[in-house]
Amino acid sequence: MIVVIVTIWLSLFMSLTTLGGAIHFWLRQSRELVYLTELPSYPKVTIVVPAHNEEIVIAQTVQAILDLNYPAGQIEMLLFADNCEDRTAQEMRRIVDSPAYANRNVRIIERVGTGGKAGVLNDALSIAEGEYIAVYDADAMPERNALYFLVRKALEDPSRYMAVFGRNKTRNAQQNFLTKCINQEIVVTQRIQHCSIWHMFKIGRIPGTNFIINRDFAKSIGGWNDGALTEDTDISFKIMQSGKLIALAYNSEAFQQEPEHIRDYYFQRLRWAKGNYQVVIHNFKNLFRPSNWRVKLEVFYYSATFFWFDAAIILSNTIFIANLCALIARLFVPSLSIPFTFGVNNSSMMKVLLMNWLLMIILYVLQVSVAVSTQYGQATTQQIWIAFASYFSYSQLFIVVSIHAMLSVCLDALLHRNGSVWVKTKRFNN
């Protein structure tokens, strides 16, 4: 029980440290005006869009990419209709064939192959002509200056910044309670966690969309891991292990569509959790052998989050609920003992766990409040109430997803199952 309490306090300390780093980052950035200035050069960029049965959203994304504020002659577009059974390729051609985009360097590739998104990216890597490869998911509409800011950041230190990533915003955030919760999760992840760890440790995490990577460097590290459920996390570790950096371009933004139904959300997050478990297990050995210190720190963070802290939260919830039930039962059976205590028949453990719960709730709402205050139009009183409701519903679902993912990873290994099978996320017209 003492271990559980100490673990929760350690997780709170890590969260406070991350929040403090983010606050310092945004206080500094708030004093700076950002101007669109001419870059010293405009390296050629190959933009890759992997799309599997994405006829509903692909047209908007392709059009947004074609309208990017970057010299058209320095952009090569590779649009992959990957094993599609719908009109994804036709929708791509409808936009590309528009007179407004005549003479643009665009290739539409109807791919039949394996490896999923990672397989598409490796195919693109083998034929790309650009100095950098940019990746946008089929539902991720980049803001007009997104690519400009990514390249500008890369040019600040091209020998070290082998990859640069931006932010992704929820384009259907107001659809329902679920998308409002997802929006808060993404804002906290990107405005607090990503900004903080880059600011304090120069650690970046490729988010899967709205990023660029140096083409020759990507080839030198073997590209992407075919079939990986979270190819972004996997290649992030490979980049860090090489000693190079994944830089943050916080002004680069893309708007992505999030699941609107609980089933779609659950299986999407289950795939992400499984993929992260697989990457962490694969890299766990780096904690105990000579390796890059950033890799060690990331392995520790992921291990603590997905294994240690989750287990502590589950145990603390179990203890708290058991003690609460015992206290209620004692109203009718006074001789009943409280199962988890620091002494004989006292409620000290109950009080400590209650204090931990209150601190976790306060910190959760504080993180959300700070995060939305850094984003125009998001700092409303409604966000506070959503955060409270989210803590007791949406955020607790992550524990269920984590347990399911861990069991699935273990069973995949024991039964020699294909662990890279995933459920397609449903898209919506919005």
Side-chain angles (χ1 to χ4, degrees):
M1 291 186 289
I2 300 298
V3 173
V4 170
I5 294 171
V6 171
T7 299
I8 291 174
W9 278 90
L10 179 59
S11 69
L12 290 171
F13 172 76
M14 289 177 60
S15 297
L16 281 171
T17 301
T18 303
L19 181 61
I23 291 173
H24 187 256
F25 173 86
W26 286 112
L27 285 175
R28 290 183 59 182
Q29 298 303 324
S30 65
R31 302 188 186 100
E32 298 180 8
L33 294 176
V34 178
Y35 298 96
L36 296 178
T37 58
E38 286 291 319
L39 299 180
S41 65
Y42 289 86
K44 188 170 186 177
V45 179
T46 297
I47 300 178
V48 182
V49 182
H52 173 64
N53 294 335
E54 299 283 7
E55 64 178 358
I56 294 177
V57 295
I58 191 62
Q60 292 175 304
T61 300
V62 171
Q63 186 168 355
I65 292 173
L66 287 166
D67 290 338
L68 283 169
N69 177 28
Y70 199 83
Q74 293 299 98
I75 291 180
E76 173 192 28
M77 285 183 63
L78 300 178
L79 307 179
F80 283 85
D82 181 34
N83 294 284
C84 290
E85 299 173 348
D86 63 357
R87 293 181 52 81
T88 297
Q90 291 91 326
E91 285 295 297
M92 290 174 173
R93 291 191 182 93
R94 181 174 66 83
I95 301 301
V96 171
D97 290 342
S98 170
Y101 305 118
N103 302 316
R104 295 294 295 268
N105 184 5
V106 182
R107 292 175 60 185
I108 297 174
I109 302 167
E110 297 190 54
R111 179 179 184 267
V112 178
T114 60
K117 180 181 175 181
V120 170
L121 296 178
N122 284 326
D123 286 356
L125 184 60
S126 67
I127 61 175
E129 298 175 356
E131 182 179 344
Y132 290 94
I133 292 177
V135 179
Y136 287 99
D137 285 344
D139 66 314
M141 295 171 54
E143 187 271 332
R144 180 169 167 75
N145 296 305
L147 183 60
Y148 164 87
F149 283 117
L150 292 175
V151 172
R152 187 165 93 168
K153 188 66 179 182
L155 295 179
E156 288 181 9
D157 195 348
S159 64
R160 296 183 72 206
Y161 295 171
M162 289 296 106
V164 181
F165 70 104
R167 298 192 300 115
N168 300 302
K169 302 169 73 172
T170 305
R171 68 197 239 193
N172 57 333
Q174 299 303 313
Q175 197 69 19
N176 54 41
F177 177 71
L178 176 62
T179 59
K180 290 176 182 178
C181 291
I182 295 173
N183 174 62
Q184 286 192 347
E185 176 197 354
I186 290 175
V187 172
V188 169
T189 298
Q190 305 202 351
R191 306 291 275 190
I192 300 296
Q193 294 180 7
H194 287 178
C195 291
S196 179
I197 63 173
W198 170 252
H199 183 54
M200 293 190 296
F201 307 114
K202 291 296 178 284
I203 291 176
R205 298 168 183 163
I206 289 179
T209 188
N210 193 29
F211 73 90
I212 61 174
I213 185 170
N214 183 282
R215 181 198 62 186
D216 292 338
F217 175 78
K219 287 183 177 181
S220 73
I221 60 174
W224 286 265
N225 180 13
D226 274 1
L229 291 176
T230 49
E231 79 295 326
D232 45 1
T233 306
D234 181 75
I235 199 167
S236 294
F237 273 95
K238 291 167 73 173
I239 295 171
M240 284 187 289
Q241 189 62 54
S242 73
K244 302 299 183 180
L245 298 180
I246 306 167
L248 169 65
Y250 70 92
N251 284 312
S252 175
E253 298 180 340
F255 299 84
Q256 64 185 18
Q257 189 181 84
E258 297 298 340
E260 297 180 4
H261 298 146
I262 194 68
R263 181 183 183 277
D264 299 313
Y265 163 82
Y266 187 89
F267 283 103
Q268 182 193 67
R269 293 307 199 268
L270 178 63
R271 171 168 58 90
W272 292 357
K274 281 189 65 177
N276 285 332
Y277 273 126
Q278 292 168 353
V279 173
V280 171
I281 292 170
H282 176 73
N283 285 278
F284 194 75
K285 59 182 179 292
N286 290 313
L287 279 176
F288 310 101
R289 62 169 58 173
S291 62
N292 186 281
W293 68 268
R294 290 186 175 90
V295 173
K296 290 182 182 293
L297 188 58
E298 279 289 82
V299 171
F300 173 78
Y301 173 84
Y302 276 103
S303 300
T305 301
F306 286 101
F307 297 102
W308 187 11
F309 294 162
D310 275 359
I313 291 172
I314 293 169
L315 286 172
S316 70
N317 289 349
T318 302
I319 293 170
F320 181 81
I321 292 171
N323 281 358
L324 180 62
C325 291
L327 283 174
I328 295 173
R330 285 183 67 180
L331 297 175
F332 306 97
V333 186
S335 61
L336 189 67
S337 299
I338 298 175
F340 302 101
T341 66
F342 283 129
V344 180
N345 263 355
N346 69 66
S347 57
S348 299
M349 176 65 75
M350 181 83 168
K351 293 175 181 177
V352 171
L353 291 176
L354 179 60
M355 182 177 65
N356 285 346
W357 265 27
L358 291 174
L359 286 174
M360 286 190 289
I361 294 169
I362 292 170
L363 182 57
Y364 183 88
V365 175
L366 181 61
Q367 283 184 321
V368 172
S369 300
V370 171
V372 297
S373 70
T374 68
Q375 191 157 297
Y376 179 78
Q378 295 252 10
T380 64
T381 54
Q382 184 189 50
Q383 294 284 15
I384 298 176
W385 298 116
I386 293 173
F388 274 112
S390 173
Y391 180 84
F392 292 101
S393 55
Y394 177 83
S395 66
Q396 301 304 316
L397 185 58
F398 176 76
I399 298 174
V400 179
V401 172
S402 297
I403 294 172
H404 187 173
M406 188 67 245
L407 291 174
S408 184
V409 169
C410 293
L411 289 174
D412 289 343
L414 290 173
L415 303 178
H416 305 288
R417 300 187 310 194
N418 180 7
S420 61
V421 177
W422 54 279
V423 178
K424 170 72 179 173
T425 301
K426 186 178 180 180
R427 303 298 185 197
F428 302 91
N429 283 311
N430 56 23

